Every structure is written in structure tokens, then in C-alpha cells.
Amino acid sequence: NLDGLHNGETSRSVLRDIMALARRRKKIGSDIMLFPLDAHISICSYLAPRDLLSFTCTCRSARDMLDDCEAFIGRKSPSRGSRSGKNNVNNEASLIWKMLFLRDYSWVISEWKIGQDAFRRSVNSYQNQGLLQRDIGGIDFTTEENRECGLVMHHLLPLLMKDNKNEVSASASSGNCNGDTITATKDITSPASMKEFYFTFAETWLEYTIAGCNTTETCLVGLHGHVFDISNFVEQHPGSTETLLLQAGLDATVFFESMGHSLGARKLASSMCAVINRETIRWDSHLDSSQFPALHSSWGLMKPSNHEVRNKMIPGFLIPRKRSRPRNLGGLQRIRSRLMEEKARELDRATRWGLLEMGNHGMFGGVHVYYDPFCSTWKWWYTDLEFHPVFRERSDA
């Protein structure tokens, strides 16, 4: 009976029952995959990703239900949604992780203007490669060429564009993506696994969305996993305006903490929060955290207007009360480690390109890099001498 799944605790109870059944399936002759697909999706919609990852360790059927990674694509799976052959993909797992992405992260791409601009750049990259039709509303994924773009775009593109399809199409076609765009010839692909995409987006969404937002009109920074819109504060900053602009469009946590900002400055920053990351929320020690169980068991992003964060101005809630190391995120360690290693190499490559092509006086602040989770590639941007952001595809320099 799915009507009783009103909260995460109820779903966890059902999950424990399913796990017990999975452990006993040899004795009773049952298989977890015999549960209806809508039951799997409904239960998973109330669970945190860590619960699902734990579930995949219980039995082969659980792994088949939740793994759509490329490592498992080549083998034959008993899952309902899988297909045999080299293109064997677990569609049920893709649907589950797609649902989790829509629940936890999709609004920053579909509703937040800054995220919409970032997604337009991704679509523009696809269009420049001729992978998608110019009419965004008429994408044909039945062709082999477009299918190779990956299941992620197949699953998400129609949903993310349904409300602003025409606007995205026109903007992507013209290259108007909050800054000048310089494109280069390079193969672009989309992830084939929704699970991999989910955890990759969780690691990269911040710098992906706010890249290039370092002007006096649109100035955003990342601090401890959250995004803060300081556009109205740029001219009032006690330090120089240029200091903020050079750190904007990036995760500026390390720089922010190195300056030793006061408690008052941290309170002021909290009032400018634009996107809250549930993973890095902390409650002050004098608060009763048992009153807020949902926040401690949740993943994803939420708006500052959400009723669950009415106490966001409490010191230590969004950012630490005093100088501190960056707050830890959840996620998959293997994905985080890979991205960190790739970013270090990409930043070195971008720096060499900047010195060779632009010189020491051709830009402000050097070349920045960010990972585009929709295109599965690293991209670059820099600030020209007129303080305008310029985007470009990575170079092999």
C-alpha cells in the first residue's frame, strides 16, 4: 500500500522490510525484482541516496535495480528495464536516479535564472557540435547519433526545457549566455548513467551554475556549499569592489575564511543566501536538532524561502561562526577524487593557455575552470579587461 508512504521514516521502515526479504529470498523463493516498478520508485522517492547505496550492497537484485553505471552495462541483467547486448541499460535504475535528481537538484536548472543560463551554455555546446536539432522541442533521440549523446540528456532535456523551451532555444542558438562565448571544436558527450550524473552534479553544480557571475550587476559566490548573491553589496564592501569581483563566480570558501571575517560579516552573508545546500547545514549547539529531522536526513538544494530554513539567520547555520575549514559534503569518494585530480590538471592546462594566448595583462584573475556535468567535459572562463566574463571550450594547449 503506497498511500502510507508519507515521510522518510516510513519509507525507511519499508526499505528495511524489503532488505530483510532480499536476504531471505533464497529460502522463500522470492525476488525483490518481483515488486512493481511504481513501488520501487515511490519508496525511493522518500529515501536519501546513502540509504539506496546501502541497499545495493544487500544482494544482486538490489544492485540490478539501482545500478545503471557503465560498468554494469555490458552484462546481462535480470532487471525489467534492461536490454541484452552491448547497449544493455537498466532503465529502472535510470528512472529512479532521474526521480532523485528532479527531487533534489532540478529546480536550480529549471527555475533559477542563473542555473538556466548555465544550462543554456550546455545546450549551446551540443548545438555547436550538431548533436541536437535546432528546434529544441523536436529532438529526435531515436537516431543513433543522438542516442550516443547519453541517457542523461534523453531523460532530462524535455523536462528541464518544458517551461522555457523557446527562450532556451533562442538563447542557446544565439550564444547569449551571460557573457561572450568562444567555442572550439571538441567532441562533447553526455553521461550514460543517471546514477553517475546524480553524484557528479552534486559535486559540480556550484561552480557550474555561477561561472561568469562576477559583474557588478550579477555577483554570486559559493561559501561552504551554498550560493550567495552579493550583487547589491558589491559597492558597499569594506574592501575593494575588485576583490569581490575577482572571487565571484567561484567557490570562494578558502579565500573567505583566510580573511578571518567577523561574526557580523558572516550574519550579513547569510542574509544574502540564494541557494542552500542541505548537506552543509549545521545547527548551533544550543538548538534542539531533533526538531528538524528532515534537514539532517536530506540531500539536495533548496530555496532560502523554504519554510524549513526559517532560522537560517542563526549563527553557524549556513556558514561557521568563526574561521573554519570548508564543510564536508556527502557523495561518492571515487567521483570526488576523480574530479579533484582532473581539476588540478585542467587548471594547469588553462593557466598555460592563458599565459600563451592572453599574457599577463590580457585578463583579470587568470583562467578559471569548471566541470559541465551535462556535457561531461571541463570548460574555461576568464574576465576580460572590461570586466566581462568570457566562456570558451577547453583547449589542448
Side-chain angles (χ1 to χ4, degrees), residues 358-378:
M358 308 295 293
N360 292 324
H361 305 290
M363 69 181 84
F364 288 115
V367 183
H368 309 293
V369 302
Y370 68 94
Y371 188 80
D372 186 330
F374 291 97
C375 296
S376 294
T377 186
W378 289 91

Side-chain angles (χ1 to χ4, degrees), residues 103-117:
R103 178 194 71 181
D104 295 337
Y105 296 108
S106 66
W107 75 267
V108 298
I109 300 298
S110 61
E111 301 179 26
W112 189 36
K113 183 182 182 303
I114 302 300
Q116 290 174 350
D117 291 339

Side-chain angles (χ1 to χ4, degrees), residues 11 35 39 67 212 236 260 284 306 312 314 327 330 338 388 395:
S11 289
F35 281 93
D67 266 325
Q236 306 171 18
D284 201 61
N306 192 304
K312 63 184 176 68
I314 295 176
R327 287 180 171 174
R338 173 179 63 82
H388 294 153
S395 170

Side-chain angles (χ1 to χ4, degrees), residues 8 12 46-51 103-105 198 277-281 292-302 308:
R12 289 191 185 89
Y46 292 94
L47 297 174
R50 67 170 179 270
D51 296 325
R103 178 194 71 181
D104 295 337
Y105 296 108
Y198 178 93
N277 190 336
R278 293 173 184 260
E279 297 178 65
T280 57
I281 287 176
F292 312 97
L295 292 177
H296 290 271
S297 61
S298 299
W299 275 45
L301 312 173
M302 57 183 170
E308 293 181 334

Side-chain angles (χ1 to χ4, degrees), residues 68-70 73 83 89-91 93-102 105-106 109 119 122-123 126 132 139 141 145-161 188-202 204 208 335 338 371-377:
D68 67 342
C69 301
E70 294 183 11
I73 290 178
R83 303 187 300 268
V89 178
N90 185 348
N91 287 328
S94 296
L95 290 174
I96 290 175
W97 288 105
K98 167 188 173 181
M99 177 271 301
L100 292 178
F101 174 79
L102 295 177
Y105 296 108
S106 66
I109 300 298
F119 188 61
S122 298
V123 173
Y126 271 94
L132 302 181
I139 298 172
F141 280 100
E145 181 182 40
N146 283 345
R147 188 177 298 279
E148 291 177 355
C149 294
L151 292 181
V152 168
M153 291 299 279
H154 168 68
H155 278 287
L156 296 180
L157 194 62
L159 292 174
L160 296 178
M161 289 186 169
I188 292 178
T189 60
S190 175
S193 165
M194 280 298 304
K195 176 182 175 182
E196 293 287 302
F197 172 78
Y198 178 93
F199 288 104
T200 300
F201 190 89
T204 60
Y208 165 71
I335 291 181
R338 173 179 63 82
Y371 188 80
D372 186 330
F374 291 97
C375 296
S376 294
T377 186

Side-chain angles (χ1 to χ4, degrees), residues 7 27 49 53 87 117 154 178 203 324 339 355 359 377 382:
N7 54 57
K27 296 181 181 179
L53 294 177
N87 290 326
D117 291 339
H154 168 68
N178 190 27
E203 296 289 338
S324 174
L339 289 171
L355 293 175
T377 186
Y382 61 90

Side-chain angles (χ1 to χ4, degrees), residues 42-297:
S42 296
I43 293 171
C44 292
S45 66
Y46 292 94
L47 297 174
R50 67 170 179 270
D51 296 325
L52 298 179
L53 294 177
S54 299
F55 185 39
T56 61
C57 300
T58 59
C59 64
R60 176 70 171 269
S61 295
R63 176 187 294 183
D64 289 332
M65 186 182 82
L66 291 169
D67 266 325
D68 67 342
C69 301
E70 294 183 11
F72 299 96
I73 290 178
R75 62 172 174 80
K76 204 167 187 178
S77 170
S79 304
R80 284 183 298 269
S82 59
R83 303 187 300 268
S84 59
K86 73 174 184 177
N87 290 326
N88 176 28
V89 178
N90 185 348
N91 287 328
E92 179 177 347
S94 296
L95 290 174
I96 290 175
W97 288 105
K98 167 188 173 181
M99 177 271 301
L100 292 178
F101 174 79
L102 295 177
R103 178 194 71 181
D104 295 337
Y105 296 108
S106 66
W107 75 267
V108 298
I109 300 298
S110 61
E111 301 179 26
W112 189 36
K113 183 182 182 303
I114 302 300
Q116 290 174 350
D117 291 339
F119 188 61
R120 289 173 191 139
R121 291 193 294 269
S122 298
V123 173
N124 190 35
S125 297
Y126 271 94
Q127 291 182 326
N128 288 336
Q129 296 298 312
L131 295 176
L132 302 181
Q133 299 175 8
R134 301 300 277 182
D135 180 10
I136 299 298
I139 298 172
D140 181 12
F141 280 100
T142 61
T143 64
E144 186 65 24
E145 181 182 40
N146 283 345
R147 188 177 298 279
E148 291 177 355
C149 294
L151 292 181
V152 168
M153 291 299 279
H154 168 68
H155 278 287
L156 296 180
L157 194 62
L159 292 174
L160 296 178
M161 289 186 169
K162 65 180 180 180
D163 294 330
N164 56 347
K165 177 170 57 181
N166 295 331
E167 181 184 357
V168 172
S169 177
S171 179
S173 300
S174 64
N176 182 18
C177 301
N178 190 27
D180 298 327
T181 303
I182 302 177
T183 57
T185 302
K186 185 165 182 65
D187 294 334
I188 292 178
T189 60
S190 175
S193 165
M194 280 298 304
K195 176 182 175 182
E196 293 287 302
F197 172 78
Y198 178 93
F199 288 104
T200 300
F201 190 89
E203 296 289 338
T204 60
W205 72 270
L206 193 152
E207 292 197 332
Y208 165 71
T209 54
I210 68 173
C213 295
N214 66 331
T215 65
T216 54
E217 294 78 19
T218 306
C219 190
L220 292 94
V221 296
L223 296 175
H224 292 283
H226 314 292
V227 171
F228 297 84
D229 187 349
I230 58 175
S231 304
N232 296 328
F233 179 69
V234 173
E235 303 291 346
Q236 306 171 18
H237 185 243
S240 66
T241 300
E242 290 75 15
T243 300
L244 285 184
L245 296 181
L246 289 175
Q247 297 300 320
L250 306 166
D251 184 347
T253 303
V254 174
F255 180 82
F256 178 85
E257 294 295 354
S258 68
M259 295 294 101
H261 286 84
S262 65
L263 180 60
R266 294 168 187 268
K267 289 182 178 179
L268 180 61
S270 296
S271 67
M272 305 177 191
C273 189
V275 181
I276 295 177
N277 190 336
R278 293 173 184 260
E279 297 178 65
T280 57
I281 287 176
R282 297 291 186 276
W283 297 99
D284 201 61
S285 58
H286 70 275
L287 292 177
D288 181 10
S289 61
S290 63
Q291 299 178 17
F292 312 97
L295 292 177
H296 290 271
S297 61

